[in-house]
Amino acid sequence: MTTAMTAAAEAASDEPTYRILLIEDDEGDALLVEELLHDTGLRFELTTRTSLAEARAELTLSPIDCILLDLHLPDVSGIEAVAAVRILAPNTAVIVLTGLSEAQAGTDAMAAGAQDYLVKGKVEADLLHRTVRYAVYRSRTERASALAQVAQMRAEENARLERGLLPQPMLDTSTVKVTSRYLPGATMALLGGDFLDVVEGDDGLLHAVVGDVSGHGPDAAALGVCLRIAWRSLVLGGHRGEDLLHLMERILIAERGSHHLFATCTLLTIDQDAATATLHLAGHHEPLLTTAEGTRELTAAHGIALGIVPELRSWPSTVIPLPAAGALTLYTDGLTEGHNGTSSERLGVEGLLTLIENLPPADPARHVDLLIQETNELNAGRHSDDLAVLRLDWGRQEAG
């Protein structure tokens, strides 16, 4: 038997309409419940089903706020009925209907996940009114609490991943000033695989990396952390250039499993005594060089991304002469792939250089923050990607 009913029109206009599913195979008991609901003054829509199988079909068709469940159905009974309904509708309030002789059944049902229980023959309209409202409220509160707990756990996991993707630089004697930023692009801070790091080797040289694992989410983030840690360990172990990239590629292939992930990265080594920077680009774009004359993109030889053609091992080096004072900025494409204002075009490197030219003078950290802020405002949320920026300043130069 199916009815769709709404309670008295005089009910307050702000009273919610409760969508109620009654699972009851006794036609007389079902009619009594329906009459009681009308007497409660609640606004409601009632659907009645006589078995769990029928209820299952109903629950797949439309959302339900509250289930009134008889414990003795043709296809399931007792606590098994409660468990089955909770599986079908884990976020819906469940009120169990018990018989006069089932004193323990109600408490057992609540232990199995029901929000409340009512004893047939002892239910009055006021009691049913309070029970339905409270059960729905409790169910929604439990749902909100569960979602909050999941969000907190996700935030804690993301924080741990972010610490792995954005480590503290290891500097001993170097006078280079390091500014780094990492911003996850996806909703709920689902991290991608962008990573960066800076260490000073035993040789006194400053080594830096910025990289980007393809894809988003936990698999890419975990691989990004793995590659970042591998890079730091290998650099401190004395590996450089093509040898270092080859080992990183081997680690990527071993760790990516069945996921067809690859990674781009820029390796940078600064020799302040020789006033040079050595670049290796593995499928990544060139860094930016800032001097007193302005900012420009460097020109460097390109190599293949890690994990694309493992046997190729093609990562040529480029040596760049450095001015006495300046800054190098390494970044991932989250900084340039956003939209360029109202235009449908991407910002690109040229747009990025224009932004940098128009930024007011500022210290390195403020300059990077302003740049990220400007790109985000131009993009206006139309493109979402992770972003890693690493700026290295040396000597004395005009701010910006």
Side-chain angles (χ1 to χ4, degrees):
M1 176 179 69
T2 301
T3 61
M5 302 274 181
T6 304
E10 64 268 16
S13 60
D14 59 348
E15 176 79 15
T17 298
Y18 294 97
R19 295 159 297 185
I20 299 174
L21 174 62
L22 172 61
I23 311 176
E24 170 65 77
D25 65 329
D26 186 295
E27 188 173 348
D29 286 347
L31 183 59
L32 288 175
V33 170
E34 183 178 325
E35 291 176 349
L36 272 172
L37 281 169
H38 279 289
D39 292 339
T40 63
L42 290 171
R43 294 164 59 92
F44 68 92
E45 295 175 356
L46 177 65
T47 300
T48 302
R49 293 291 180 262
T50 60
S51 68
L52 181 64
E54 290 182 3
R56 180 183 290 109
E58 183 64 31
L59 289 169
T60 61
L61 294 176
S62 59
I64 297 295
D65 296 312
C66 182
I67 296 172
L68 301 176
L69 174 65
D70 178 45
L71 288 183
H72 301 286
L73 299 173
D75 47 357
V76 66
S77 64
I79 300 305
E80 289 76 13
V82 179
V85 167
R86 296 300 295 166
I87 292 173
L88 291 174
N91 302 315
T92 300
V94 177
I95 301 173
V96 165
L97 305 176
T98 69
L100 291 172
S101 61
E102 299 174 303
Q104 187 62 33
T107 54
D108 290 344
M110 291 185 66
Q115 270 68 41
D116 212 331
Y117 72 95
L118 295 169
V119 179
K120 293 179 181 180
K122 291 189 175 182
V123 182
E124 295 180 352
D126 287 346
L127 176 60
L128 181 58
H129 180 280
R130 292 194 302 271
T131 302
V132 169
R133 293 188 65 178
Y134 173 73
V136 172
Y137 171 78
R138 179 180 171 188
S139 176
R140 290 173 179 172
T141 301
E142 290 172 351
R143 172 63 173 167
S145 176
L147 289 175
Q149 185 176 6
V150 170
Q152 180 180 355
M153 291 177 61
R154 175 172 287 179
E156 291 172 353
E157 291 172 357
N158 284 346
R160 288 194 293 271
L161 282 171
E162 281 196 53
R163 287 195 294 270
L165 294 166
L166 184 59
Q168 289 296 317
M170 288 183 60
L171 304 178
D172 295 322
T173 62
S174 176
T175 59
V176 173
K177 179 179 177 60
V178 178
T179 303
S180 61
R181 297 290 185 269
Y182 177 83
L183 296 174
T187 306
M188 294 287 289
L190 290 171
L191 300 180
D194 291 9
F195 60 95
L196 55 83
D197 203 354
V198 180
V199 299
E200 183 180 347
D202 292 337
D203 50 13
L205 304 181
L206 190 70
H207 304 276
V209 63
V210 164
D212 184 0
V213 177
S214 62
H216 300 276
D219 292 324
L223 188 54
V225 172
C226 178
L227 289 176
R228 201 279 303 166
I229 295 173
W231 176 86
R232 175 175 282 203
S233 301
L234 291 168
V235 166
L236 293 176
H239 296 277
R240 304 288 183 265
E242 288 191 356
D243 173 53
L244 171 58
L245 287 166
H246 169 60
L247 293 174
M248 289 179 65
E249 185 171 57
R250 288 187 61 187
I251 292 170
L252 179 148
I253 292 169
E255 294 294 331
R256 70 184 177 184
S258 60
H259 302 283
H260 298 293
L261 300 175
F262 64 90
T264 68
C265 67
T266 293
L267 302 188
L268 171 70
T269 299
I270 294 180
D271 186 337
Q272 288 184 271
D273 292 337
T276 60
T278 302
L279 286 173
H280 288 83
L281 304 179
H284 213 78
H285 45 262
E286 297 90 336
L288 306 179
L289 174 63
T290 299
T291 65
E293 287 73 36
T295 300
R296 63 181 176 87
E297 185 179 41
L298 293 175
T299 300
H302 283 259
I304 192 168
L306 305 182
I308 298 292
V309 186
E311 64 274 9
L312 188 58
R313 297 180 61 173
S314 174
W315 302 291
S317 64
T318 301
V319 178
I320 307 292
L322 297 179
L328 281 168
T329 302
L330 290 68
Y331 60 94
T332 57
D333 55 15
L335 196 62
T336 55
E337 286 197 345
H339 288 269
N340 188 5
T342 58
S343 170
S344 60
E345 297 179 356
R346 302 295 183 181
L347 180 64
V349 177
E350 290 302 319
L352 182 65
L353 291 173
T354 300
L355 277 183
I356 292 173
E357 182 180 351
N358 294 327
L359 286 179
D363 64 84
R366 177 60 177 161
H367 187 271
V368 171
D369 289 337
L370 285 173
L371 184 58
I372 293 173
Q373 177 183 325
E374 290 289 331
T375 58
N376 285 339
E377 289 178 358
L378 286 173
N379 184 43
R382 286 171 291 174
H383 174 78
S384 181
D385 198 2
D386 304 290
L387 169 63
V389 180
L390 176 63
R391 173 167 165 155
L392 307 173
D393 287 76
W394 65 91
R396 293 184 177 180
Q397 60 169 329
E398 294 299 321

